[in-house]
Amino acid sequence: MRAVSQYTVRTPEQLPALLKAFRKQAGLTQGQLATRLGITQQTLSALERNANRVSADRLLQLLGTLGVEMVLQPREQQTGSKTTASGDAGW
């Protein structure tokens, strides 16, 4: 399997495939990862399928267990960007 390196996530729908890829890259089954996290395999399966509904705390715990870190950085400015002066992207 090709190694997952840096990946830009812009929508919650991108997370399930990415989390599964990182788990497989780590050579872990859902059951093995679930055991490391102290949850059931069924809970991990639901977490992978519905990653957009996972708390930040749980997501960071999962990423840490997989040896993956989350890096936040400002987007590169594009012409016609809707980002406001305060950087809140219209929230």
Side-chain angles (χ1 to χ4, degrees):
M1 176 177 188
R2 192 183 88 173
V4 179
S5 57
Q6 210 171 8
Y7 192 80
T8 301
V9 177
R10 291 200 171 94
T11 67
E13 292 77 19
Q14 293 173 292
L15 285 173
L18 191 59
L19 292 176
K20 183 176 178 181
F22 277 122
R23 176 177 54 78
K24 288 187 174 207
Q25 181 178 311
L28 296 171
T29 65
Q30 283 185 338
Q32 291 167 327
L33 180 56
T35 298
R36 290 183 184 190
L37 292 168
I39 60 177
T40 66
Q41 183 273 327
Q42 292 82 3
T43 299
L44 180 64
S45 177
L47 187 151
E48 281 187 354
R49 284 190 320 272
N50 302 301
N52 59 323
R53 297 178 187 220
V54 175
S55 71
D57 183 52
R58 177 61 58 100
L59 180 60
L60 290 170
Q61 180 185 18
L62 172 60
L63 293 174
T65 301
L66 291 173
V68 177
E69 63 183 1
M70 184 185 312
V71 177
L72 303 177
Q73 64 186 27
R75 280 189 187 175
E76 291 184 20
Q77 292 297 317
Q78 301 173 2
T79 57
S81 174
K82 293 185 178 184
T83 303
T84 62
S86 63
D88 65 10
W91 289 8

